[in-house]
Amino acid sequence: MPIDFARMAITRLRQALQKSAALIMNSGALATGTVATAGLGFAYWWLAARLLAPDVMGVASGLLSMMSLVTLFGECGLATLLTGELVRHPGKEPGLVGAAASLGVALSVSLALLFVVGQTFLMGSTGSIDDWFGGLAFIVGCGLNNLTVLGDQAFVGILRSSSKMIRLVLFSIFKLMLLAGVTALGFTSATALLWTWVAGLLASWIGVDLLTKGGARRLIGTPDFKLLHAHRRRVFGHYALDVALLAPALAMPYLVLVLLSPTTNAAFVAVWMLVSVAALIPSAMAMVLFPVVRASPKQSRHNILVSLTVSLLFSLVCGVFIFTYSQQILAVFNPAYPGIAGSSLRLLGFSLLGSTLKFHACALARLTDRMRNAAPWFALGGLLELCFAALGAHLGGLQGLVLGWTLAVSIEGACAALWLMSATKLVAGADPVLQGSTSSPFQT
């Protein structure tokens, strides 16, 4: 009997995985790339922490977070649009990607230029960017970062996540090599670290194009602005939702830099980087749901439950690991970091549970085309995160900031869980992802 039961369980598991083959394969490719990126990224930040002073690390990581934030604002929801819509326009993918890339890069470069000029006038030489070479690295980096985000999501949208995996691995390898090279030559400033990031992005795209025999060049064609314009309403909905969901987390290292100090930010980023990399797994699984459900809508409920269950288990394991070993993690990066942060960062990993629930609630909002209705709720949650973090920093320094952030994300996760549960129960014979008929708190 136990043997028969085990065989039956294995058979059912195999059948469940076969039903979600596209989800598993593409999520698996992204997860593989993420794991490889995590390992190489750990080596990159470990080497940087060992070779650069804590205040330099704090400034550089703050600028990189601001670069990601500028990219998010300049990307305008176009990456998410590509993820879900490319599968609906066979043969027209290069034109849509080309139009999105042209618009997104132009906006990101413009916003980066405004940031650099504004900081120069407001803060002068006391700002985080103190020379024209650093400003140029920031502006070019924002443009390349935007192109990278759009290109990566286009690969996911055409269900070629393996190409994104290759690019992620190449980027991690190249930037690590570049960091070792520039520091060996005596360049140990925040600007030097920014340039390793920029050069690594460029080299990764050249590499993935060579390894896929022109796959990167075929991805982008003559811009089809007419087709992009036809999706303008969805672009705005995705943009509002992306900014509300992602902006607070992207701004956190810069917030710590401003509210506390560059030295404190260096220790914070050591653990924050691990949390951010771990968050890529549930985020990737939720994002892959978008094209997978578009391609196979009849299995939407099954795919959502598989993705959510795996993501929550993974997030719980990561939270326990960081809670147990936060001091050891800090010491690995730099022996001075445990003295700077103490035990203040040990709860940070548990914010992954709330983030996972948010990612999947966001995916369901996109699939039901309720981005505009969902965006105000996510924006309210983002405001809660920033306010709780800032208030916590004011009252209790780094420990207060972490407690405030984790509490806010947990509250959002609980609200997202309630909605996901009600949405699942309301599904009877019809699929809410197809019908758009689920009554949700995001609907106005």
Side-chain angles (χ1 to χ4, degrees):
M1 288 296 292
I3 295 176
D4 292 337
F5 179 79
R7 287 177 179 174
M8 185 181 300
I10 293 172
T11 301
R12 289 183 178 179
L13 177 61
R14 185 184 297 114
Q15 291 173 346
L17 293 176
Q18 288 174 347
K19 284 180 66 178
S20 302
L23 173 67
I24 298 299
M25 289 179 63
N26 282 272
S27 295
L30 290 180
T32 301
T34 300
V35 170
T37 301
L40 293 167
F42 177 87
Y44 176 85
W45 286 108
W46 175 84
L47 184 62
R50 292 282 175 165
L51 297 176
L52 305 179
D55 58 333
V56 172
M57 276 291 295
V59 171
S61 56
L63 286 175
L64 286 173
S65 75
M66 184 53 64
M67 185 187 295
S68 298
L69 188 61
V70 168
T71 299
L72 174 65
F73 283 114
E75 175 262 328
C76 288
L78 294 168
T80 308
L81 178 81
L82 294 179
T83 306
E85 297 300 328
L86 287 179
V87 72
R88 291 181 165 185
H89 299 284
K92 298 181 179 180
E93 298 96 331
L96 185 56
V97 176
S102 300
L103 180 60
V105 171
L107 286 172
S108 286
V109 169
S110 300
L111 290 172
L113 184 61
L114 285 175
F115 174 79
V116 172
V117 172
Q119 184 185 241
T120 301
F121 277 106
L122 293 175
M123 304 182 70
S125 60
T126 61
S128 51
I129 299 176
D130 55 5
D131 58 26
W132 70 269
F133 198 51
L136 180 62
F138 184 83
I139 294 169
V140 174
C142 287
L144 273 175
N145 208 31
N146 186 286
L147 182 63
T148 296
V149 170
L150 291 170
D152 281 351
Q153 293 310 111
F155 279 136
V156 176
I158 59 176
L159 298 178
R160 283 175 50 197
S161 297
S162 58
S163 295
K164 178 179 178 179
M165 175 194 70
I166 293 171
R167 196 211 61 78
L168 285 171
V169 173
L170 289 176
F171 173 55
S172 299
I173 293 172
F174 285 135
K175 70 179 182 180
L176 179 59
M177 294 171 60
L178 288 164
L179 176 64
V182 298
T183 51
L185 294 173
F187 299 102
T188 57
S189 65
T191 298
L193 191 143
L194 283 183
W195 277 112
T196 64
W197 202 274
V198 173
L201 285 173
L202 181 60
S204 69
W205 278 108
I206 296 173
V208 75
D209 187 66
L210 292 174
L211 291 175
T212 58
K213 299 180 179 180
R217 280 172 290 169
R218 290 192 298 271
L219 188 67
I220 302 179
T222 303
D224 189 345
F225 290 107
K226 184 177 180 180
L227 180 58
L228 181 62
H229 185 262
H231 291 288
R232 62 192 181 279
R233 291 190 177 183
R234 283 182 176 171
V235 167
F236 179 80
H238 287 307
Y239 180 49
L241 194 54
D242 284 341
V243 171
L245 179 68
L246 301 175
L250 293 177
M252 276 297 288
Y254 195 77
L255 191 69
V256 176
L257 175 65
V258 173
L259 293 179
L260 299 176
S261 71
T263 302
T264 302
N265 192 41
F268 171 78
V269 167
V271 176
W272 180 256
M273 179 268 295
L274 293 180
V275 173
S276 299
V277 170
L280 292 176
I281 298 294
S283 175
M285 294 199 71
M287 183 57 71
V288 168
L289 283 173
F290 201 10
V292 166
V293 171
R294 292 290 198 206
S296 303
K298 292 183 180 180
Q299 296 179 190
S300 59
R301 289 181 62 193
H302 175 79
N303 285 329
I304 290 170
L305 288 174
V306 168
S307 177
L308 185 58
T309 301
V310 173
S311 297
L312 283 173
L313 289 173
F314 173 80
S315 298
L316 179 61
V317 170
C318 290
V320 172
F321 177 79
I322 291 174
F323 179 82
T324 306
Y325 297 108
S326 63
Q327 288 278 286
Q328 290 85 341
I329 292 169
L330 289 169
V332 167
F333 279 94
N334 192 309
Y337 286 0
I340 295 171
S343 60
S344 302
L345 301 172
R346 60 181 181 174
L347 293 177
L348 198 55
F350 290 114
S351 64
L352 285 168
L353 293 168
S355 296
T356 293
L357 292 165
K358 285 172 55 182
F359 292 145
H360 284 78
C362 179
L364 192 55
R366 296 187 200 279
L367 287 165
T368 55
D369 285 329
R370 302 198 185 278
M371 291 85 71
R372 292 192 182 189
N373 297 327
W377 293 96
F378 280 101
L380 182 63
L383 182 63
L384 186 73
E385 293 170 10
L386 294 175
C387 288
F388 273 36
L391 181 61
H394 177 71
L395 296 177
L398 182 59
Q399 185 173 19
L401 180 139
V402 170
L403 286 172
W405 170 267
T406 304
L407 177 60
V409 176
S410 299
I411 292 172
E412 292 178 88
C415 294
L418 291 174
W419 178 48
L420 287 167
M421 288 173 61
S422 64
T424 303
K425 290 179 181 179
L426 286 173
V427 177
D431 193 327
V433 173
L434 299 178
Q435 305 289 338
S437 61
T438 301
S439 175
S440 79
F442 295 143
Q443 187 172 355
T444 56

